[in-house]
Amino acid sequence: MHAVITRRDFINGMATAGLAAPACLHAQAAGVGAAGAEGDFGGQSLAAAAPLHARRDGAPLPDWAEFADTREQYDLVVVGAGISGLAAAQLYRQHAGRPVSMLILDAAPELGGHAQRNEFTARNGRRLIGYGGSESLDSPGLWSPAVHALVRSVGIELEQFKDYFDSGWQARHGLTQSAAWYAPELWGEGRLLRRAAGEPAADWVARTPLLPAAQRDLLRLLQQEARHDPWPQLTRAQKRARLAGISYDRFLTEVLGLHPQLTLLYRNRTSGYIGVGSDACSALDAFALGLPGFAGLQLGDAVDALMSPSGRQAKGGQDDYIYHFPDGNAGLVRALLRSLIPAALPGSGMESLVLAERDDTQLDRPQAPLRIRLDSPVLRVQHAPGGGAVDIGYRAGDGSLRRLRAGQLVLACFHRVIPLLCPELPAQQREALNDQVRIPLIYGNVLLSHWRPFQRAGIAGLGLPGHLFDSLRIDFPVSIGRYRFPDSPDEPILLHFGGVVLDGPAGAPEREQAAAGRRKLLGLGFAELEREIRSILQGALGPFGFDAAADIEAITINRWAHGYAYEYMRPWDTFWPAGPLPMQRARRGWGRIAIANSDAGAYAYAQGAIDQATRAVAELLPQARLPQFWRQPGPQHLKLRP
């Protein structure tokens, strides 16, 4: 609690205890909007997605005759105003070698894609800012040169976060115990289990609501009484390969012979990082994340090719997990916006990014060199006759269908959207694009009028074993410029919660669980989720003076039916890592069109979105001297040091 922690430490928490669920979720998910007193849904808008959902469900591709020709022409049009789309515009302008005109179109009513902020005003007038998804700039030591260059070009200095992030905040306030809430509907009784740092497992395991046999097996697991090697006849490489072929649940129950109740204890320990629970996450990735049970196998510390991208990052990344704006990676979006349209976000320097007021009247000014047009879903994309330009048809905010033309086009939208827009695509590329599913999730924030119960309990958050949510915890202690993180338990504060929403039979492939989870997520009402949050907080912290009715001022729930980009992983993707990889076929540009998004790298992180924007712009501007990391075999983010 006293030291700056690494990303793996942060995710791992008290992994050996099976108590703290992952404290944060990666990569490319976010939320929108400010919470009112009664709560609010943020995240992806079903209204914005409706036109393409209709296409998915059989509506015909609109004919060009249905679109009114606006006579607008641009050097570049970008479809998608998330991190990848904004980065593509920044890179294109930097490397075109001449002044260019650009337009960015997005179906959503809000800028930033998955990187969004949630804003609150407490009863006492204090303004609090949280993040609804894309969380932090993760593992910069593993970034490509292209990502470092882009981040520097928009004025973000990574070294400054060492001053902004208050690594001693929890210890200073006595929040030094880890904690888990065992919900009564899952465990038969509601129980808060707190554990002091260094407390022997024998002391706290008996306080869990596990069955006696499961408690005994948990002690065996944590104390490594079974340090024998279950596969002494295998080499280290063979052991790793075998672990890649089974889930962590199967490793616990079939290889180590432990009680099946332990699988519920660890189920959501992997989902926040890998995108799937321990029932479908490979045991090799669970080893990379630091889950217990592997000491006897003598697996070594090297990154393994059979690990998923996130598993490799967890095993190979050593950066402190501090590169965080109060609004998460919405801070990066705001820095990109300021660089692209300075008048839209007045000020300069990192310290003004958080509180500067965005001027949306500057986003789509006639004759401006760069324009951003929100609430404008693109419906059709096709090369103009002769192939010298690209025609783009979209639905304007007033509902009318409009047409414009671009010299070149970047599609920075989801992979599965592209076949619905582009009649030119060959069947094999359509199939590859449709292979990339998205992982549904929930991110949210709870505004509390004070946090005295947390201080009395000596905890900063709760792991939630087996629950819909992975964790619920006090937000990151980050102060930037005039925005100051609360430093008194009498002040209002934000709690952050999140969860990957999966459904279907345990042990089913991640693609199937994601599809079922999406249906489940869209069937959950706000009131139902609000009751869950209130019940957790009241049950866990009621004995320490928490009163949900009085202390909760607002709740925002960011619902992301299409959240994380899918990462290739064993045991499901047998082509991984040797290939050929579907993403390599899917992201191929054609003519004057290139593809850029986190799907194109099968990697759900902001740096992955920027890398793919770099690749797409380099395809359109072959004369530009952009880092050509993609010419190496395999994606750059997998070139991790052991």
Side-chain angles (χ1 to χ4, degrees), residues 264-418:
L264 179 60
L265 186 70
Y266 286 100
R267 182 61 49 84
N268 60 4
R269 282 288 299 116
T270 61
S271 57
Y273 206 43
I274 303 293
V276 72
S278 60
D279 62 308
C281 167
S282 80
L284 185 64
D285 278 326
F287 160 69
L289 294 183
L291 271 65
F294 301 98
L297 278 76
Q298 299 295 312
L299 296 172
D301 294 324
V303 172
D304 195 290
L306 294 174
M307 293 172 181
S308 68
S310 282
R312 295 185 184 191
Q313 181 158 307
K315 194 66 176 171
Q318 300 297 323
D319 294 285
D320 297 331
Y321 197 63
I322 61 172
Y323 302 100
H324 180 84
F325 288 98
D327 52 0
N329 284 337
L332 172 59
V333 167
R334 289 164 73 84
L336 282 160
L337 175 63
R338 175 180 282 171
S339 181
L340 292 166
I341 308 177
L345 198 74
S348 62
M350 290 178 66
E351 296 199 349
S352 66
L353 281 174
V354 179
L355 294 179
E357 296 297 334
R358 204 175 80 190
D359 184 356
D360 285 358
T361 65
Q362 301 295 320
L363 296 183
D364 193 10
R365 290 184 298 109
Q367 310 307 316
L370 172 67
R371 304 172 70 174
I372 299 176
R373 195 167 295 166
L374 303 174
D375 197 20
S376 299
V378 171
L379 304 179
R380 181 165 183 161
V381 167
Q382 194 167 356
H383 282 89
V390 183
D391 287 329
I392 300 103
Y394 74 99
R395 189 190 69 186
D398 62 5
S400 63
L401 301 186
R402 301 181 186 180
R403 177 178 177 177
L404 51 85
R405 182 162 286 184
Q408 294 179 305
L409 176 72
V410 170
L411 292 169
C413 47
F414 299 158
H415 265 19
R416 292 175 73 90
V417 165
I418 295 172

Side-chain angles (χ1 to χ4, degrees), residues 9 36 74 86 93 138 305 311 393 416 446 522 620 627 629-630 633:
D9 292 335
Y74 299 89
L86 295 171
R93 185 181 66 178
D138 197 340
R416 292 175 73 90
V446 182
L522 294 176
L620 298 178
F629 59 88
W630 59 89

Side-chain angles (χ1 to χ4, degrees), residues 21-305:
C24 47
L25 307 173
H26 63 255
Q28 305 306 87
V32 189
E38 75 289 353
D40 189 21
F41 260 133
Q44 287 160 331
S45 163
L46 292 178
L52 291 177
H53 281 169
R55 283 276 297 118
R56 176 203 62 192
D57 295 337
L61 185 71
D63 189 85
W64 284 118
E66 300 177 49
F67 295 90
D69 193 347
T70 65
R71 306 290 181 180
E72 289 179 274
Q73 295 194 33
Y74 299 89
D75 293 306
L76 178 73
V77 168
V78 179
V79 178
I83 290 174
S84 193
L86 295 171
Q90 174 81 350
L91 292 163
Y92 193 91
R93 185 181 66 178
Q94 288 174 337
H95 296 282
R98 58 185 174 84
V100 291
S101 59
M102 295 184 287
L103 172 69
I104 301 175
L105 295 166
D106 199 291
E110 181 56 54
L111 184 72
H114 287 123
Q116 300 292 332
R117 66 161 55 189
N118 290 166
E119 291 197 28
F120 301 80
T121 301
R123 296 185 192 119
N124 69 354
R126 184 172 186 139
R127 182 182 183 185
L128 291 100
I129 298 172
Y131 62 100
S134 188
E135 183 173 273
S136 298
L137 298 171
D138 197 340
S139 301
L142 302 176
W143 290 359
S144 71
V147 177
H148 279 288
L150 186 283
V151 169
R152 285 195 303 268
S153 78
V154 297
I156 294 177
E157 301 174 17
L158 295 177
E159 285 295 311
Q160 293 298 316
F161 286 103
K162 294 179 180 178
D163 295 325
Y164 301 151
F165 194 101
D166 186 353
S167 59
W169 188 88
Q170 291 186 16
R172 191 167 64 250
H173 292 286
L175 311 181
T176 57
Q177 297 191 70
S178 63
W181 171 245
Y182 293 85
E185 62 271 21
L186 294 170
W187 298 94
E189 60 174 297
R191 185 178 298 188
L192 175 67
L193 194 155
R194 294 179 294 159
R195 178 190 162 188
E199 182 179 358
D203 292 348
W204 61 262
V205 166
R207 302 200 304 271
T208 70
L210 293 169
L211 297 172
Q215 289 184 354
R216 289 193 296 271
D217 280 358
L218 179 57
L219 274 175
R220 283 180 55 208
L221 180 66
L222 300 179
Q223 296 175 344
Q224 293 298 329
E225 292 175 0
R227 280 186 177 273
H228 71 281
D229 186 345
W231 301 319
Q233 74 281 11
L234 301 182
T235 66
R236 176 175 292 176
Q238 289 171 333
K239 293 174 187 176
R240 285 175 167 234
R242 184 167 291 190
L243 291 172
I246 61 172
S247 70
Y248 185 60
D249 280 10
R250 288 184 59 197
F251 175 73
L252 292 179
T253 57
E254 297 177 16
V255 177
L256 299 185
L258 302 178
H259 196 283
Q261 196 178 34
L262 298 189
T263 64
L264 179 60
L265 186 70
Y266 286 100
R267 182 61 49 84
N268 60 4
R269 282 288 299 116
T270 61
S271 57
Y273 206 43
I274 303 293
V276 72
S278 60
D279 62 308
C281 167
S282 80
L284 185 64
D285 278 326
F287 160 69
L289 294 183
L291 271 65
F294 301 98
L297 278 76
Q298 299 295 312
L299 296 172
D301 294 324
V303 172
D304 195 290

Side-chain angles (χ1 to χ4, degrees), residues 523-540:
L524 294 171
F526 184 93
E528 181 180 358
L529 294 168
E530 180 185 10
R531 283 194 297 271
E532 286 278 322
I533 294 163
R534 290 178 176 273
S535 175
I536 292 168
L537 288 170
Q538 189 63 52

